[in-house]
Amino acid sequence: MNNINALQTAPDLHDKDETIFQALMTAIVEHQLLPGSKLPEEALAEVFGVSRTGIRKVLQRLAAVQMVTLTPKRGAHVASPTVEEARHIFRTRALLEVANLPDVLAHCQPPHLAALEAIIRQEQQAHEAYDGPAAIRHSASFHIQLQAISGNQVLTEMVTSLSQRSSLVIATWGAPWRQGCRCNDHEQLVDLLRQKALQPLSDALMHHFEHIVASLCFERAGECLPDFARLFAGHKES
């Protein structure tokens, strides 16, 4: 009887773990949990109504996909990509996504274009409503759906993972008013896709990623403490 109960509850536990994993992933990707945020097991266990062991398993999964860092005696924190990681993530995305464009063009049909245009409309509405999480979500969805047209599931999964890590990069190094990509860039990509213009499409996608990287504020790197002497010059008592 106990074995039967174990078989019945195992899927429930898996579903619960997956629900928590997706909830935390979404909160991180949509910048509701910012880089460096502490993720205490006890507090999360209470919120989700599970044991600390269950939360620990989820945090380990998030760490395995580079979204969380686990440090002995310090616990779990939302990952903060370094400048080098940030550049590598977008460089890798550019290489993968541009290289896959011939297959995207070969398989692209009018319904695919319509789906991409619908995502762009949702993205524009999110920007107009200053809905940052939605803008990030639709921006990532555009790139994932664009690559999915090729039918290459393995590459699409890689782009999905890199898109999630890209969101961390933007949260860490992006200007606070920037959320997701520029809608105009996505509109241009769809226009070129409709024209089946491979080289201009490849160039536009590469420039799109270059623009994102150029917009990041890497000059903040290495600032451990403010320059208090400069900020408060003249306040020191003699």
Side-chain angles (χ1 to χ4, degrees):
M1 186 69 176
N2 289 337
N3 289 338
I4 294 175
N5 289 336
L7 288 172
Q8 290 174 335
T9 57
D12 295 335
L13 291 173
H14 174 76
D15 291 345
K16 186 67 173 178
D17 288 350
E18 185 62 25
T19 298
I20 297 170
F21 176 84
Q22 292 299 335
L24 288 173
M25 176 67 82
T26 298
I28 294 170
V29 169
E30 296 185 357
H31 299 181
Q32 295 166 348
L33 285 173
L34 295 176
S37 297
K38 186 171 176 57
L39 302 171
E41 291 178 4
E42 186 173 357
L44 290 172
E46 182 176 352
V47 167
F48 288 107
V50 297
S51 67
R52 291 183 62 177
T53 300
I55 291 296
R56 192 173 302 124
K57 286 166 56 181
V58 171
L59 293 175
Q60 288 169 346
R61 283 183 62 191
L62 288 166
V65 292
Q66 313 296 319
M67 301 301 287
V68 163
T69 57
L70 301 175
T71 307
K73 298 183 179 180
R74 293 190 65 243
H77 293 77
V78 177
S80 299
T82 65
V83 172
E84 184 178 31
E85 285 177 305
R87 294 188 184 279
H88 287 172
I89 286 168
F90 278 107
R91 179 59 178 164
T92 302
R93 281 192 63 182
L95 291 172
L96 283 175
E97 295 187 36
V98 170
N100 196 42
L101 288 178
D103 285 347
V104 171
L105 281 177
H107 291 84
C108 186
Q109 299 295 326
H112 294 129
L113 296 172
L116 291 173
E117 289 171 336
I119 293 172
I120 292 173
R121 287 194 295 271
Q122 293 173 320
E123 188 180 9
Q124 289 172 330
Q125 291 169 1
H127 281 291
E128 291 168 1
Y130 297 97
D131 187 345
I136 294 166
R137 183 167 60 253
H138 296 312
S139 176
S141 178
F142 176 88
H143 283 270
I144 294 166
Q145 293 304 315
L146 174 63
Q147 297 303 318
I149 293 171
S150 69
N152 187 332
Q153 184 176 352
V154 174
L155 185 140
T156 302
E157 290 171 353
M158 294 172 68
V159 170
T160 299
S161 176
L162 287 168
S163 294
Q164 292 166 343
R165 295 182 67 186
S166 297
S167 181
L168 270 180
V169 170
I170 293 171
T172 304
W173 300 109
W177 60 87
R178 294 185 185 276
Q179 301 289 352
C181 303
R182 298 188 302 182
C183 295
N184 290 344
D185 284 4
H186 289 171
E187 290 174 340
Q188 180 189 21
L189 292 171
V190 171
D191 287 342
L192 293 171
L193 186 60
R194 181 180 289 107
Q195 298 168 28
K196 295 190 178 296
L198 177 58
Q199 192 56 54
L201 177 61
S202 300
D203 292 342
L205 185 54
M206 186 64 74
H207 291 324
H208 176 61
F209 284 118
E210 290 172 351
H211 177 268
I212 293 173
V213 173
S215 73
L216 300 176
C217 304
F218 290 136
E219 63 270 14
R220 295 203 305 265
E223 290 185 4
C224 297
L225 286 173
D227 186 351
F228 293 126
R230 179 182 61 81
L231 288 173
F232 304 116
H235 287 268
K236 185 176 181 179
E237 294 183 4
S238 56

